[in-house]
Amino acid sequence: SLDIHALLAEVYGRGVRSVLLEGGATLAGAFLAADAVDKVVGYLAPALLGAGPAVLTDAGIGTISQALRLDVSEVHRLGPD
């Protein structure tokens, strides 16, 4: 029920020009579905788990053909994990 474009217009009106979105799967999915994401910074540990929470929910991506294709521009290793 969050109007993302209204929210971004409000913070823009307050002089904010960049927003770091560090939320859960629902918030991330809502911003992607609203086409309000310019850049994705991902952190990946070298460990694979077979279960757990989703990264995105309700982003409008239901099939592999709708997958969001990202360009990897940089990679930095941060410690052993």
Side-chain angles (χ1 to χ4, degrees):
S1 66
L2 176 65
D3 185 339
I4 292 170
H5 294 289
L7 171 68
L8 293 175
E10 177 66 27
V11 297
Y12 186 86
R14 295 180 184 201
V16 176
R17 300 298 182 258
S18 179
V19 175
L20 170 64
L21 177 66
E22 188 179 11
T26 301
L27 186 61
F31 268 75
L32 280 171
D35 196 27
V37 177
D38 295 322
K39 181 179 180 180
V40 174
V41 177
Y43 296 91
L44 177 66
L48 300 176
L49 303 174
V55 175
L56 298 173
T57 57
D58 298 328
I61 302 169
T63 66
I64 193 71
S65 65
Q66 296 172 322
L68 179 61
R69 305 291 179 184
L70 306 175
D71 294 323
V72 177
S73 60
E74 296 179 46
V75 176
H76 298 280
R77 183 176 179 103
L78 302 174
D81 60 318

